[in-house]
Every structure is written in structure tokens, then in C-alpha cells.
Amino acid sequence: MSERYRIFGVEASPYSVKVRSYFRYKNIPHSWIVRGMDQLSEFGRYAKLPLVPLVVTPDGQGMQDSTLILEKMETLFPEPSITPTGPIAPFVNLLVEEFADEWVNKPMFHYRWTHPTDQESAAQRIAEELAPAGASSEVALGMVESVKARMLPRLLLVGSTPASAALIEQSFVRLVELVEVHLAPRAYLFGSRPVLADFGLFGQLYELASDPTPGALLKQQAPHIMGWLARMLSPENLGDLESWEGLAPTLQPLLGEQVAGLFLPWSSENARALSAGEKQSTVSLAGRSLSQEPQRYHAKSLAVLKQHYQDLRNPELDKLLAETGAQPFLSD
């Protein structure tokens, strides 16, 4: 029996690099295995779904879903904790991670598969990872076209259409502005060591930085984010977390504008449409429309987030969520 965990993932997957960053931070013995064509048979022995990341434990158990993987590993490797303390920060930590996984994935996927230059760059990198060892140039080229043919139709699954393109791109630009200001005086989102929210947001922004169009914006306008991304490749415990009072001036605007203004209205409408059996979920955000087929996983994760809110609820947290506009979406 191996004493090491095995992470099956790909560099182009935000959830794969999220999990890898966490394992590096906790110094958990592991092997990073690129899930290419040569590994499909072994991957299939442990994976219930054809999705990365897959973590195989030393006793041969498979785990999927990046958030659940981190939650499970926290019970086994609790120090240093990725959960802040206090009446407000623990839930904000969960909220930002959920926002990153479910909303920031939209600009990540949109930029990658909408812009031709980004399509070609991503498809080439993915094909290189997936290709069998020693594959000919003809096989590699065919895989590039196959990757694009498989991924482009999935734009609809994240709500990326010509009608929503401006909304998604404006959300990304504003997110970069907000996070850049927040990270200017600190190493990680909540202070001198990473928390769960860091890992979630890192996965998405790392991928955006790797693609030509959003990557150019980040490199030109967000040096503090780029420094944070570099740190998050192998995060370190550099000290203490900050109090909410110190974080609030620059983190609260993110909660108000992006989380309560965009993510939670969309997530709530997705859950409502799914519950009503509707085939399309449509929500107006910042004067623009975003439509997509309701997604069952998003509704499930919103329900989990609401339960976390009930578990952690207190007057100080209620006041913050009311001020940002998030509370109505979490307490119904």
C-alpha cells in the first residue's frame, strides 16, 4: 500500500490546481499525475465521474469534488487550519470560496473558449497533456481540434452567450480591481496564511492568468494578484490571520458588488428554476441578461451554503450580510 496520496488532474483544470495547492500547503505526501490518455484505465478504477481532480487515498479510496476533498483532508490534517476564527470571517471564507467555484468559473470558461486566440492556446495545452506518450504530430493536431469541438458547446452550460459576454467580462475586470486592492497590503486573502477562500479563488484566477486575453489584463493591471498566484503555487504559513475589522474595508466591497450583486442572484434563480422544472434559468444582472440550463450541482451547493449560514449565524454576521445585500439570498 502506498503511503502517498495520488492526485489525478490537469494543469488546465482550476479545481485540479486548487487541490494540488492545498496538498502542497499542508505538506501532505502526494504524487501529481496528469490524467492523460495513458492514465485513463487507472483513473477509471477509482473515479465515479469522468472529472478531475480525482484524489486516491493511500488505502485505495477515490475522492472527487474539490471542496469535499479539502473538507475531508482538513479532518485528517487540521493544522495549519484553513478556517479563520471570529463571528464573521468563517462564513465569509465559505462564501468567497463558493463564489469562486461557481461564479468566477464563468469568466474563466468564457474567455478560454470564446476568444479564438485563447481557444487555440488552451486546446493546444490540453492536447499536450492528454496525448499518449510518443504521439505523432498528426495525432496531436487532431486532439487539438477534438478538444475545441468538445469544449465550445459547453459555453452554454456556464451561460456564456453573445448576450451575456459583456456582463461576464465586466464582472472579471471589476473582480480584478477589487482583489488587487485587497491583496496590496497582505500575502493572502485573510492575512499571512491561506484559507479555504484562497484555494478556491486561486484555481480560477490561475487559469485566467494562463490564457492570453485575461492573462494580459492580469499581468498589466494586477501585480499583487500575480504575486499572490505565485505564492499559491506552493503556499506557506507566514503568520497570523487578520481580524475582520482589518479585512472589511477592501473585502466587503467584493461581497457587495460581486457576491451579493451577481453570484447570489444568479445562484438563487438557478435553484428556483430547477425546483420549478423549468428548462431555462434567466436572471437580469447589472442591466444584462444571463440565461442557461439550470444546473443541479449549483443548486445543491447553494443549499449547503445556506446550511452553513444557519450553523454559523450570529448578529454580527447578519448585520454584514444585510449591509452587503447577501442576506435575502441565504435566509429564505
Side-chain angles (χ1 to χ4, degrees):
M1 182 185 302
S2 171
E3 295 299 320
R4 300 174 68 84
Y5 288 81
R6 288 179 288 164
I7 305 172
F8 288 81
V10 293
E11 198 72 23
S13 159
Y15 306 105
S16 294
V17 298
K18 168 186 173 183
V19 169
R20 183 180 65 186
S21 175
Y22 172 84
F23 271 68
R24 288 175 175 176
Y25 176 56
K26 290 299 184 93
N27 291 314
I28 301 170
H30 69 278
S31 298
W32 169 257
I33 302 171
V34 176
R35 195 218 59 181
M37 300 294 290
D38 294 336
Q39 288 74 39
L40 286 181
S41 177
E42 185 179 11
F43 177 85
R45 288 204 295 271
Y46 303 100
K48 294 181 179 179
L49 297 170
L51 302 172
V52 291
L54 164 73
V55 171
V56 179
T57 66
D59 62 355
Q61 302 299 309
M63 297 189 293
Q64 292 177 282
D65 187 305
S66 63
T67 300
L68 295 181
I69 290 170
L70 267 59
E71 289 177 355
K72 173 62 177 178
M73 298 307 294
E74 275 296 284
T75 67
L76 303 174
F77 300 88
E79 296 298 331
S81 174
I82 60 170
T83 300
T85 59
I88 293 176
F91 183 71
V92 172
N93 180 38
L94 297 172
L95 184 56
V96 173
E97 192 256 359
E98 176 78 358
F99 160 74
D101 275 1
E102 308 302 333
W103 179 266
V104 187
N105 182 254
K106 292 182 183 299
M108 192 287 295
F109 204 88
H110 165 82
Y111 277 104
R112 178 166 285 179
W113 301 112
T114 298
H115 298 264
T117 301
D118 298 83
Q119 288 177 16
E120 198 64 32
S121 172
Q124 182 68 44
R125 286 178 283 132
I126 292 170
E128 289 173 357
E129 286 198 280
L130 296 180
S136 67
S137 57
E138 290 79 7
V139 169
L141 179 61
M143 292 187 71
V144 168
E145 295 307 314
S146 176
V147 168
K148 287 193 284 187
R150 187 171 72 252
M151 302 306 290
L152 294 183
R154 297 184 185 181
L155 282 165
L156 294 176
L157 297 179
V158 300
S160 173
T161 66
S164 66
L167 167 68
I168 292 173
E169 294 186 8
Q170 287 169 8
S171 170
F172 170 65
V173 171
R174 183 57 178 149
L175 173 67
V176 170
E177 292 172 348
L178 291 166
V179 176
E180 176 67 9
V181 170
H182 180 70
L183 284 173
R186 53 185 59 89
Y188 300 101
L189 290 176
F190 281 58
S192 295
R193 64 176 185 267
V195 295
L196 179 64
D198 285 277
F199 295 102
L201 191 58
F202 161 72
Q204 306 299 335
L205 291 182
Y206 175 80
E207 298 300 338
L208 282 152
S210 75
D211 292 328
T213 302
L217 184 147
L218 283 163
K219 292 176 178 67
Q220 292 167 7
Q221 302 183 20
H224 296 105
I225 291 178
M226 293 304 297
W228 169 74
L229 291 176
R231 285 189 292 277
M232 286 299 297
L233 284 170
S234 294
E236 296 180 279
N237 181 354
L238 301 176
D240 295 331
L241 298 178
E242 295 179 43
S243 68
W244 176 252
E245 289 71 23
L247 299 168
T250 49
L251 196 51
Q252 190 163 330
L254 172 67
L255 300 180
E257 293 185 35
Q258 295 274 308
V259 177
L262 298 174
F263 164 59
L264 288 175
W266 162 77
S267 187
S268 296
E269 172 57 23
N270 175 80
R272 186 208 62 77
L274 186 68
S275 178
E278 298 174 4
K279 294 184 178 180
Q280 198 74 4
S281 166
T282 301
V283 61
S284 178
L285 302 169
R288 299 181 183 273
S289 178
L290 191 151
S291 297
Q292 66 183 93
E293 179 182 339
Q295 301 294 305
R296 192 171 302 277
Y297 180 83
H298 299 322
K300 180 180 177 181
S301 64
L302 177 62
V304 172
L305 184 66
K306 288 181 175 181
Q307 185 57 57
H308 283 311
Y309 174 50
Q310 293 304 319
D311 294 342
L312 296 169
R313 191 169 186 174
N314 64 76
E316 291 182 63
L317 178 59
D318 284 348
K319 182 176 183 292
L320 169 72
L321 296 179
E323 289 173 352
T324 60
Q327 191 176 41
F329 301 104
L330 297 166
S331 56
D332 59 358

